């Protein structure tokens, strides 16, 4: 590792941290369409990107 280079954290943790310190959602450092960008947004939003809304308990009846 070169001096001054800091390894990146897990993108999910980075996104959660960004939200916690008040950074805007458009501050994501990863390129559009990348798996890292999706993970960063999952952390920022606090939910997996492919996780749909919860259904009522009786929805399957």
């Amino acid at each position: 590792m070169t001096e001054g280079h800091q390894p990146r954290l897990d993108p999910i943790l980075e996104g959660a941290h960004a939200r916690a310190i008040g950074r805007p959602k458009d501050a994501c450092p990863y390129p559009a369409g990348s798996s890292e960008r999706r993970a960063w947004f999952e952390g920022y939003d606090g939910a997996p990107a492919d996780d749909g809304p919860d259904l009522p308990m009786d929805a399957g009846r």
Side-chain angles (χ1 to χ4, degrees):
M1 217 183 307
T2 61
E3 191 173 317
H5 175 76
Q6 294 181 356
R8 289 216 180 247
L9 299 173
D10 175 53
I12 294 173
L13 295 176
E14 284 185 300
H17 179 72
R19 182 176 182 148
I21 63 171
R23 296 194 65 199
K25 194 170 185 175
D26 64 1
C28 178
Y30 297 103
S34 68
S35 60
E36 291 89 358
R37 186 175 182 90
R38 272 192 307 279
W40 193 94
F41 284 129
E42 286 180 10
Y44 192 94
D45 293 335
D50 60 355
D51 186 24
D54 291 334
L55 297 175
M57 298 269 305
D58 60 355
R61 294 184 189 182

